Amino acid sequence: MPEPRFLVVRLGSLGDIVHTFPAVAALCESFPQAEIVWLTHPRWVELVASSGLASQIWSVDSRDLSDVRAVLAKIRGERWDAAIDYQGLWKSALLPFLGGARRRIGFSSSTVREFGVPILYTDCVECKTVHIADQNGELSLRAGASQGVAAMKLQVNAMECQKVHADLKALGIDHYVVLSPGGGWRSKCWPADRFGALCQKIREDLNLRCVINYGPGEADLAAAVKAASGNAEPVAYDGELGQLMALLQNAICIVGGDTGPLHIALALGVKGVAIFGPTNPARNGPYPPQPIVLRDPEAQTTHDRATGTAPSLLKISVEQVFAAVQQRLGDPA
């Protein structure tokens, strides 16, 4: 009997892919000889490769019609025991459907964000768990895995590590805390001036420099953090994905909200302090759960992409976050 072949669909984004890794790791453990083809956006090929979970990685830009046609032809040309859509959007569900995969596993209507998507699946999974990583695991269980999630380890490119280390050493930085003030939409971001005040307190009280990680479209945010940090001399860093992973791997702690860099740092084993507002850490938080996740008890859960800071985040003080950083730095490795 031939070994099973799975088509895994998770196109993006950074944090969501990280939360998919444990479920795909469970497939790998349950079917050691299986071939797993992961379909993702070109931007995230390197991230998927760092997990070592995929036999092949196929890239597709869902906004490029010629790209979509090419990948559909590849899907049609292969045998699949199951296609698993861990994303649950029309753009992800349509690929195995139009590609002719006979068994298509995905979330039921109670879990997906876009109405009607489950009509494209042959197997709709009614999730019983809360965290998205565990929900992804329920899809793996439906595909036949013996467990929903499993441990995995990311590999960081050694040359990227050397480059980042050299860059920071030239600036006089060895041990450092990463601040990640961004996060998809601004309403779930702790204010820049508070990140700046935290940076100053870390420098004055702990004698540590901070590195401000920022992504595309966040240069103004990084500049605002730096401006609010007084004489703490933080460094703003916007390297490509490989350099970001190297930066995070060598940090002694990361402070950030519900954002990809936080999730990838935790997956790399870095100590972290997570600051949550409108998104629920029980569903979208660190996985496995971390010792410190700060959220106002009265915070209202919403995924509305507002431009102003959520009121619940304003209730989290610089002193609270600094105390959490101190606690994490004192925790055993």
Side-chain angles (χ1 to χ4, degrees):
M1 187 173 181
E3 296 297 335
R5 302 186 78 251
F6 297 107
L7 178 65
V8 164
V9 185
R10 180 74 238 194
L11 305 177
S13 56
L14 198 161
D16 294 318
I17 290 175
V18 172
H19 282 157
T20 305
F21 285 152
V24 181
L27 281 179
C28 292
E29 281 201 9
S30 302
F31 305 100
Q33 303 304 316
E35 183 166 12
I36 295 176
V37 177
W38 191 311
L39 195 56
T40 194
H41 188 277
R43 183 180 180 185
W44 306 118
V45 168
E46 184 178 3
L47 175 61
V48 174
S50 74
S51 72
L53 297 172
S55 312
Q56 297 182 56
I57 304 170
W58 294 355
S59 67
V60 59
D61 184 344
S62 59
R63 296 169 298 183
D64 185 330
L65 187 57
S66 63
D67 213 18
V68 171
R69 285 173 175 162
V71 85
L72 289 177
K74 291 175 73 174
I75 295 172
R76 292 190 195 103
E78 301 283 347
R79 174 189 66 82
W80 308 105
D81 288 270
I84 311 171
D85 177 18
Y86 291 102
Q87 189 147 359
L89 301 178
W90 281 105
K91 66 180 180 181
S92 57
L94 276 166
L95 294 170
F97 177 79
L98 296 177
R102 296 185 65 182
R103 187 182 184 201
R104 302 176 301 278
I105 301 171
F107 297 113
S108 71
S109 57
S110 63
T111 303
V112 295
R113 294 203 316 268
E114 295 182 352
F115 178 76
V117 171
I119 66 171
L120 300 178
Y121 305 135
T122 59
D123 295 44
C124 294
V125 176
E126 191 80 32
C127 291
K128 302 291 191 285
T129 53
V130 176
H131 199 284
I132 187 59
D134 291 318
Q135 292 179 356
N136 288 332
E138 293 189 62
L139 300 189
S140 295
L141 287 170
R142 179 62 68 90
S146 58
Q147 60 194 62
V149 297
M152 46 74 60
K153 188 173 183 180
L154 300 181
Q155 300 296 320
V156 181
N157 184 284
M159 292 184 65
E160 298 285 23
C161 286
Q162 292 173 6
K163 180 185 186 310
V164 171
H165 177 74
D167 289 346
L168 294 179
K169 188 174 182 180
L171 296 169
I173 297 177
D174 186 11
H175 299 292
Y176 56 91
V177 174
V178 169
L179 305 181
S180 192
W185 60 95
R186 294 295 170 93
S187 61
K188 64 175 182 173
C189 299
W190 199 49
D193 62 332
R194 297 194 187 185
F195 268 108
L198 175 67
C199 177
Q200 190 168 26
K201 200 161 181 59
I202 288 172
R203 181 67 187 273
E204 291 175 353
D205 292 15
L206 303 179
N207 195 29
L208 289 169
R209 299 274 295 280
C210 290
V211 178
I212 306 165
N213 162 71
Y214 68 99
E218 295 178 345
D220 61 329
L221 188 59
V225 175
K226 196 168 184 179
S229 66
N231 58 356
E233 299 181 288
V235 172
Y237 203 91
D238 67 337
E240 296 295 328
L241 179 61
Q243 293 169 16
L244 170 63
M245 293 178 69
L247 173 74
L248 296 173
Q249 178 176 254
N250 292 316
I252 61 173
C253 186
I254 181 171
V255 180
D258 181 9
T259 179
L262 173 81
H263 297 304
I264 201 169
L266 299 177
L268 288 165
V270 178
K271 296 177 180 180
V273 172
I275 308 171
F276 272 67
T279 53
N280 184 1
R283 183 186 186 277
N284 299 95
Y287 192 88
Q290 294 290 303
I292 297 180
V293 178
L294 302 176
R295 192 191 195 211
D296 178 63
E298 298 179 356
Q300 298 296 308
T301 298
T302 175
H303 289 267
D304 293 340
R305 302 195 171 204
T307 54
T309 302
S312 59
L313 281 169
L314 298 177
K315 295 182 180 180
I316 300 174
S317 69
V318 173
E319 290 71 24
Q320 281 178 279
V321 179
F322 178 71
V325 171
Q326 284 183 301
Q327 181 179 332
R328 288 302 282 132
L329 291 179
D331 288 340

